[in-house]
Amino acid sequence: MRRYPPIADHGMVGDLQTAALVSSEGVVDWFCSPRFDSPSLFAALLDHDRGGHFAISVAGPDVTTRQLYLADTAVLITRFLTPDGVGEVVDFMPPNRSGRATDRHQLVRVVRVTRGRIRFSLSCRPRFDYARASHRLDLRGDTAHFSGPGTDARLQVTGAGPIHLERDGQDVTAVAELEQGQSAAAVLTVYATGGEAPPEPTERSIRADFEETCAYWYRWIRRSRYRGRWQETVNRSAITLKLLTYAPTGAPVAALTTGLPEQLGGERNWDYRYTWVRDASLSVHALFGLGFADEAHAFRRWIIERVLAGGTVTGEPLQIMYRVDGDPHLGEEILGQLEGYGGSSPVRIGNAAADQLQLDIYGEAVHALTHTDDLAHFMGYDGWRGLCRVLDWLVKKWDRPDEGIWETRGGRQDFTYSRVMCWTAFDRGIRVAHELARPADVPVWTEARDTILRQIMDRGWSERRKAFVQRYGSDVLDASLLLMPAVGFITPRDPRWLSTLDAMDAELVSDSLVYRYDPGASPDGLRGSEGTFSLCSFLYVDALARAGRLGQARYAFDKMLTYANHVGLFAEEIGARGEQLGNFPQAFTHLALITAAMALDGELDRADW
């Protein structure tokens, strides 16, 4: 077991309320339960020695591993190729199809041999509450019960078939030798302290769970309308987005993990297990484009609830992120007991950026809510009045410095992107008020919208750079502005926009990969550097396609796909050596991939390529 496998060397399995990362060595080294943002049970990815893991592996000097997904599912297969034979571990989590929050979650790990004879080793070493809580083991036959004093979760691990658990202190181990055609299983179930212990699994129940899990994903992905040039890639990104969405509320998390570094050994280590209004709102377009209307509507209902609920920690109508249940409190805390991935510290839970002012979220939220013409049906009159209150408030509040889309900690500035999205908020509100004949202060909204546009053209445009810039009074470029044509602020072939695209090509693009901005030219209050931002690389493809630069767009898209990991997943960034950096997998990157694929397909079809 490597101390710290590459971030990208993982697949993900989940049940629509939480998920686990499994390395290509068969090690579960990240798992929180019962929700994405719950305390960890296994966190070896953040501390090899203290974090805890659940490994089923094959040892030996000549063992080669291969990892793949069963096509169009979230069933992960890790294969071990040895001189003595071929074995595999099949990992899956049965989806909770009730849509209700539950404290019980199950990870099934099926072990089987397809050729020869293989000796598997099992090691289950949970560490409750980010390794802050001790635990006690109660081993009864081949079923282990783990409990941590003062924790809300209990853990049951059952060996089925020739997996016989043995005590190792307060942990368990096992060795199983299987021949061709034989199989076994280890089933991990998390349940609430004080709750009834789950029934022990049987061979029949495990097989039924496997078949039902496969059937669920086959049925779900068949709903996709995408039939373009990159169907397999888009399907994998869609499944990834689904896995990162908390089904009881419809809110997607930004990523599965916390603390994975944007620079190895650096301090840019954040907790992404929350719902950003921006990221999730932009996913609505991708979901509707693919035909997943139920998921898009679920998130829009979540946004409306936030608009009507208020109660933010900032005192503004919305804040930039929430917990998946809508809780606005995300106090940031450092976990000093964990050394961090490869020594990258500090490890943080919670996110202090929730207190920041980022005005762009209003544009993204209104854009998501007004994306289709069924607004009157799903929002209702009360929802419309709530939206009007937000826009009436924004009329007086849009012209303020803020922290901007990238959550810099270097002070507030007049960010151009924030103004663009405030323009978007008013523009979409005006359109819907007219289309649905709803009461609204349209003249005041119109004046605000037009004032913002003139201001951006006057102050957000640099005559020296011949480009739109990151913030007023600077010449710094910023990849967030790649969304300007997508939201309709400017046409994608306007001379000012094409000139901006040329400037970004020259400064922010490196072999088709895109940096967010230059931290040296625009200090962000943090030490260290970062890699190219995968989200921005796909936004770049989208912008190129809309601008008619189809050869360049297709090259950039296909090139970017080569940086996906072995099972098609992306982290937040790509480092100088092509390695994946930051929290993993990142939902924003996968939704941008989907959007770029749909835009590029459409333009290629129109051009008859």
Side-chain angles (χ1 to χ4, degrees):
M1 180 177 171
R2 291 167 293 179
R3 288 191 62 82
Y4 293 102
I7 291 171
D9 198 24
H10 293 84
M12 175 176 62
V13 295
D15 66 358
L16 312 182
Q17 294 190 27
T18 188
L21 290 181
V22 185
S23 78
S24 66
E25 293 180 318
V27 179
V28 177
D29 54 18
W30 181 255
F31 181 50
C32 301
S33 188
R35 298 191 328 197
F36 297 109
D37 59 348
S38 297
S40 64
L41 297 172
F42 303 115
L45 196 57
L46 294 179
D47 194 307
H48 174 85
D49 297 321
R50 291 181 288 270
H53 67 264
F54 182 17
I56 301 180
S57 56
V58 177
D62 299 318
V63 177
T64 301
T65 62
R66 297 285 187 271
Q67 198 172 53
L68 67 151
Y69 278 112
L70 190 60
D72 287 342
T73 76
V75 176
L76 185 69
I77 302 172
T78 306
R79 288 186 174 149
F80 301 89
L81 288 69
T82 80
D84 299 320
V86 177
E88 60 189 24
V89 177
V90 180
D91 287 301
F92 65 94
M93 296 182 69
N96 179 354
R97 289 168 289 178
S98 72
R100 296 187 299 272
T102 178
D103 290 323
R104 182 165 294 188
H105 302 274
Q106 190 174 77
L107 170 62
V108 182
R109 314 201 71 191
V110 177
V111 183
R112 58 193 185 193
V113 173
T114 58
R115 292 183 183 177
R117 183 181 183 89
I118 300 291
R119 179 185 177 93
F120 291 93
S121 297
L122 178 150
S123 172
C124 185
R125 304 184 185 279
R127 297 295 182 265
F128 289 79
D129 190 22
Y130 307 108
R132 292 184 294 194
S134 60
H135 69 272
R136 181 174 57 253
L137 168 66
D138 180 11
L139 182 60
R140 304 173 188 174
D142 289 324
T143 296
H145 295 271
F146 299 90
S147 59
T151 62
D152 296 330
R154 293 172 63 90
L155 195 63
Q156 175 181 292
V157 176
T158 300
I163 290 183
H164 303 296
L165 302 181
E166 297 183 0
R167 177 183 288 271
D168 182 8
Q170 296 301 313
D171 304 320
V172 294
T173 61
V175 174
E177 289 199 21
L178 304 179
E179 295 183 346
Q180 181 173 330
Q182 287 187 312
S183 64
V187 179
L188 179 152
T189 306
V190 184
Y191 62 102
T193 298
E196 183 180 352
E200 294 185 5
T202 64
E203 182 179 349
R204 175 175 293 183
S205 70
I206 292 170
R207 177 172 292 278
D209 284 342
F210 174 77
E211 292 174 352
E212 290 173 9
T213 299
C214 291
Y216 172 87
W217 289 107
Y218 291 145
R219 288 192 301 269
W220 187 81
I221 202 63
R222 277 203 303 268
R223 291 166 46 202
S224 173
R225 293 199 299 252
Y226 182 80
R227 299 293 183 271
R229 294 163 177 81
W230 298 278
Q231 187 169 349
E232 183 178 349
T233 297
V234 168
N235 282 359
R236 180 52 53 198
S237 287
I239 290 171
T240 302
L241 287 179
K242 181 70 170 174
L243 284 171
L244 291 172
T245 299
Y246 185 65
T249 63
V253 295
L256 181 60
T257 58
T258 181
L260 294 184
E262 296 175 17
Q263 180 186 32
L264 190 62
E267 67 172 338
R268 298 168 184 258
N269 318 312
W270 315 111
D271 193 346
Y272 276 17
R273 299 171 299 155
Y274 309 114
T275 300
W276 269 253
V277 169
R278 172 189 310 111
D279 304 27
S281 295
L282 293 174
S283 73
V284 169
H285 173 72
L287 291 169
F288 273 126
L290 293 176
F292 295 116
D294 290 345
E295 286 77 6
H297 287 316
F299 173 70
R300 295 203 297 176
R301 285 191 292 271
W302 186 88
I303 279 286
I304 285 295
E305 290 171 1
R306 305 286 74 72
V307 169
L308 296 177
T312 63
V313 297
T314 61
E316 310 272 327
L318 287 174
Q319 65 185 51
I320 68 170
M321 70 180 92
Y322 300 82
R323 295 186 183 274
V324 290
D325 60 359
D327 183 350
H329 300 96
L330 285 78
E332 190 169 290
E333 179 182 354
I334 290 176
L335 298 178
Q337 76 279 8
L338 300 179
E339 74 167 358
Y341 176 87
S344 302
S345 63
V347 174
R348 299 178 176 91
I349 57 173
N351 200 311
D355 298 340
Q356 288 191 354
L357 175 66
Q358 297 177 22
L359 291 166
D360 64 282
I361 63 172
Y362 296 100
E364 286 129 3
V366 176
H367 185 41
L369 292 173
T370 60
H371 185 75
T372 58
D373 58 7
D374 61 352
L375 181 66
H377 171 71
F378 91 90
M379 180 185 281
Y381 183 65
D382 290 338
W384 172 253
R385 289 182 61 192
L387 183 60
C388 287
R389 286 194 296 272
V390 170
L391 290 175
D392 290 341
W393 172 89
L394 192 60
V395 165
K396 301 175 183 178
K397 298 292 186 178
W398 65 265
D399 196 10
R400 292 182 290 167
D402 67 351
E403 273 90 3
I405 180 175
W406 305 127
E407 298 172 6
T408 60
R409 303 193 179 191
R412 294 181 178 180
Q413 302 284 345
D414 290 308
F415 286 104
T416 304
Y417 177 78
S418 297
R419 300 299 202 278
V420 169
M421 295 312 296
C422 287
W423 175 92
T424 302
F426 291 120
D427 182 69
R428 299 308 188 272
I430 293 164
R431 291 187 194 182
V432 172
H434 284 305
E435 291 171 3
L436 299 183
R438 289 292 184 266
D441 202 346
V442 172
V444 172
W445 294 359
T446 302
E447 182 181 357
R449 180 195 64 182
D450 295 347
T451 300
I452 295 171
L453 189 145
R454 287 192 293 267
Q455 186 190 86
I456 291 172
M457 291 300 184
D458 291 342
R459 300 176 62 192
W461 170 262
S462 168
E463 191 62 33
R464 189 183 77 81
R465 297 298 305 271
K466 298 296 182 185
F468 290 104
V469 291
Q470 181 189 67
R471 62 184 191 273
Y472 296 169
S474 80
D475 285 332
V476 176
L477 302 179
D478 194 305
S480 64
L481 298 178
L482 288 165
L483 281 165
M484 291 176 76
V487 299
F489 181 86
I490 194 168
T491 62
R493 303 189 189 190
D494 183 284
R496 285 196 182 202
W497 175 247
L498 294 178
S499 178
T500 300
L501 205 50
D502 289 338
M504 290 186 184
D505 282 339
E507 184 171 306
L508 298 182
V509 180
S510 174
D511 192 27
S512 81
L513 303 180
V514 182
Y515 290 93
R516 294 188 293 181
Y517 56 92
D518 178 3
S522 177
D524 56 13
L526 297 167
R527 295 188 300 272
S529 60
E530 61 181 20
T532 57
F533 217 66
S534 298
L535 158 71
C536 297
S537 297
F538 286 119
L539 294 181
Y540 176 62
V541 171
D542 187 289
L544 289 172
R546 292 173 188 270
R549 300 177 178 181
L550 299 184
Q552 191 179 356
R554 186 160 191 173
Y555 172 81
F557 188 72
D558 287 336
K559 187 75 171 283
M560 186 60 195
L561 295 185
T562 67
Y563 290 98
N565 81 342
H566 56 288
V567 290
L569 304 182
F570 284 93
E572 186 176 25
E573 299 181 9
I574 304 296
R577 296 172 296 170
E579 76 277 20
Q580 296 209 32
L581 296 170
N583 284 306
F584 176 88
Q586 195 200 34
F588 212 170
T589 298
H590 286 276
L591 78 88
L593 183 157
I594 293 168
T595 302
M598 292 191 295
L600 184 52
D601 264 317
E603 296 295 337
L604 290 171
D605 289 345
R606 280 187 283 275
D608 196 25
W609 273 47

